[in-house]
Amino acid sequence: MKENAFFVWFGIHGSVINWFKSYLTSRSFRVKCDKDFSSEHISSCGVPQGSVLSPLLFVMHTTPLSTLISSLYVFILQQDNTQNIKPLSLNHHLYADDTQLFFSFHPRNFDSSIAHLQTAVKHIYEISLHSY
């Protein structure tokens, strides 16, 4: 999702976008080891550690991914060679920098179920390349 579209997704406009941008850019950090400090470095990504906004920003960042995963459909080829579209019923968990995808299927449908999961991951990947 492009930067301003990301903010608009959550109803954030105008000067509030500028406030978020200024909060998240041009931040510096140093590393302390015992009593010694490293030289200062500029952070090019992420949020300030321990910030009260960090959980909110995480939810904002992952909501589009959750929405995408929840909206996936698969094409099922019927015995008469017609296609049927149905929700994939793909479940997911997001925590920190991990995303876990899972779903239930009958063992006799193992091959087709794994193929559907691989298709879903490919679809998520392709959309993410163009959206984020």
Side-chain angles (χ1 to χ4, degrees), residues 69 72-74 88-92 100-105 109-125:
I69 292 169
L72 290 175
Y73 286 80
V74 292
L88 184 56
S89 299
L90 188 62
N91 297 303
H92 63 287
Q100 179 185 50
L101 304 174
F102 59 96
F103 69 110
S104 298
F105 56 88
N109 298 332
F110 179 82
D111 290 338
S112 64
S113 296
I114 295 303
H116 292 319
L117 182 60
Q118 289 172 326
T119 300
V121 170
K122 182 179 177 185
H123 188 68
I124 292 166
Y125 172 76

Side-chain angles (χ1 to χ4, degrees), residues 28-41 49:
S28 62
F29 67 95
R30 298 182 345 168
V31 176
K32 180 182 179 186
C33 184
D34 293 323
K35 294 181 181 182
D36 299 320
F37 286 89
S38 70
S39 59
E40 192 171 273
H41 298 278
Q49 188 173 8

Side-chain angles (χ1 to χ4, degrees), residues 34-84:
D34 293 323
K35 294 181 181 182
D36 299 320
F37 286 89
S38 70
S39 59
E40 192 171 273
H41 298 278
I42 301 297
S43 176
S44 61
C45 61
V47 297
Q49 188 173 8
S51 163
V52 296
L53 287 179
S54 295
L56 172 67
L57 292 170
F58 173 77
V59 169
M60 289 175 65
H61 183 73
T62 58
T63 295
L65 177 60
S66 290
T67 302
L68 172 61
I69 292 169
S70 299
S71 68
L72 290 175
Y73 286 80
V74 292
F75 293 93
I76 306 297
L77 187 60
Q78 304 295 322
Q79 290 180 349
D80 63 357
N81 286 334
T82 60
Q83 285 189 347
N84 185 16

